[in-house]
C-alpha cells in the first residue's frame, strides 16, 4: 500500500540522474573536437624504415614554418635539417624537455641557438614527452609528424619506434600548432 506523502520510488533516483546528466554535458563540452579525415597518412617503423630520413625530407619541403616539440633532440642530421630550413628563411621554433638536457642535447641546443633558431625549455611538466613536428600549419600542404620516435640516433638504429606523417590536413595541423603555442607560453627561453 502506498502512502500519500511518500514519494514514488522512481523519483528517488531523480537527483542522481540529474547530477549524472550534468556531468555528461560538462564532459561533452570539454571533449576535444573530432576533425574530419583528410589528406594522406604515412606510417613508418624504425629500425626497418628510414624514419630519420623521412623526417629530414619533410623538413626540406617546408615552405613557411616548422614547430618542433622534442622530448629528446640529439640527432645531428635532424638538427642539421632544422638549421638548413632556418637558413632558407623558414620560421623554425623548438620546444625541448628541460629535464633531458644531457651533453648531446646541449650540443644540439647550442647548434640551433647559434643558427638563430629560438628554443624554449619545458619545465612545467615532469616529462614534456611530446614528439611532434608541425610543418606549414597555415597552408593547404600542412603536415604533422608524430609518434613514439624521439629525435635521436638510438630511435632510428636501436629502438622499435613509429611515426605517422599526416599530410594535407590544415585543421589538424592548426590544432597541433595551437597546442605547441600553449606549451610555448609555459616554457622558458633556452640559455
Amino acid at each position: 500500500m502506498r502512502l500519500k506523502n511518500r514519494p514514488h520510488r522512481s523519483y528517488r533516483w531523480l537527483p542522481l540522474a540529474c547530477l549524472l546528466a550534468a556531468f555528461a554535458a560538462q564532459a561533452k563540452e570539454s571533449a576535444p573536437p573530432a576533425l574530419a579525415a583528410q589528406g594522406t597518412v604515412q606510417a613508418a617503423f624504425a629500425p626497418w624504415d628510414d624514419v630519420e630520413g623521412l623526417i629530414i625530407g619533410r623538413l626540406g619541403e617546408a615552405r613557411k614554418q616548422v614547430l618542433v616539440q622534442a622530448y629528446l633532440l640529439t640527432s645531428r642530421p635532424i638538427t642539421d635539417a632544422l638549421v638548413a630550413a632556418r637558413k632558407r628563411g623558414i620560421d623554425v621554433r623548438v620546444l625541448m624537455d628541460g629535464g633531458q638536457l644531457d651533453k648531446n642535447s646541449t650540443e644540439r641546443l647550442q647548434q640551433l641557438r647559434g643558427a638563430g633558431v629560438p628554443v624554449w625549455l619545458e619545465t612545467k611538466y615532469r616529462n614534456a614527452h611530446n614528439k611532434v613536428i608541425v610543418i606549414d600549419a597555415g597552408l593547404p600542404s600542412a603536415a604533422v609528424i608524430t609518434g613514439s620516435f624521439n629525435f635521436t640516433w638510438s630511435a632510428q638504429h636501436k629502438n622499435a619506434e613509429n611515426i605517422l606523417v599526416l599530410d594535407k590536413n590544415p585543421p589538424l595541423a592548426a590544432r597541433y600548432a595551437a597546442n605547441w603555442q600553449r606549451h610555448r607560453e609555459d616554457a622558458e627561453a633556452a640559455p
Side-chain angles (χ1 to χ4, degrees):
M1 176 176 356
R2 197 166 165 200
L3 300 174
K4 290 184 180 183
N5 292 344
R6 191 171 175 188
H8 190 271
R9 288 183 186 180
S10 64
Y11 293 117
R12 284 187 211 170
W13 297 103
L14 186 59
L16 179 60
C18 289
L19 185 61
L20 290 173
F23 281 129
Q26 183 180 9
K28 187 173 183 174
E29 289 174 15
S30 64
L35 302 174
Q38 59 180 291
T40 61
V41 177
Q42 183 177 14
F45 305 95
W48 303 281
D49 297 325
D50 184 7
V51 174
E52 188 175 65
L54 181 60
I55 292 170
I56 291 166
R58 294 306 317 231
L59 291 172
E61 296 171 5
R63 292 192 246 152
K64 182 179 176 185
Q65 185 180 61
V66 174
L67 302 175
V68 178
Q69 282 182 278
Y71 178 65
L72 291 169
L73 177 56
T74 62
S75 167
R76 186 179 308 257
I78 292 174
T79 306
D80 290 345
L82 292 168
V83 169
R86 172 72 177 165
K87 288 180 179 176
R88 290 192 332 267
I90 306 302
D91 175 21
V92 177
R93 301 177 191 190
V94 176
L95 288 168
M96 297 173 69
D97 184 306
Q100 296 300 315
L101 289 180
D102 64 10
K103 180 179 180 262
N104 290 329
S105 294
T106 302
E107 288 176 13
R108 300 292 75 81
L109 169 64
Q110 291 171 349
Q111 181 183 358
L112 291 166
R113 299 279 292 138
V117 174
V119 179
W120 293 270
L121 303 177
E122 292 198 71
T123 58
K124 181 177 179 179
Y125 308 97
R126 181 174 180 204
N127 290 302
H129 209 242
N130 291 298
K131 299 128 183 161
V132 176
I133 300 174
V134 182
I135 300 173
D136 297 333
L139 300 178
S141 61
V144 174
I145 300 171
T146 190
S148 70
F149 190 88
N150 283 304
F151 308 123
T152 66
W153 181 89
S154 292
Q156 179 61 57
H157 300 282
K158 299 284 185 188
N159 298 351
E161 304 279 1
N162 70 81
I163 65 163
L164 291 174
V165 180
L166 305 143
D167 265 321
K168 298 178 182 74
N169 191 331
L172 179 66
R175 183 142 167 79
Y176 270 90
N179 185 61
W180 186 96
Q181 183 59 38
R182 180 172 41 195
H183 281 268
R184 163 39 202 106
E185 290 168 5
D186 289 336
E188 303 170 7

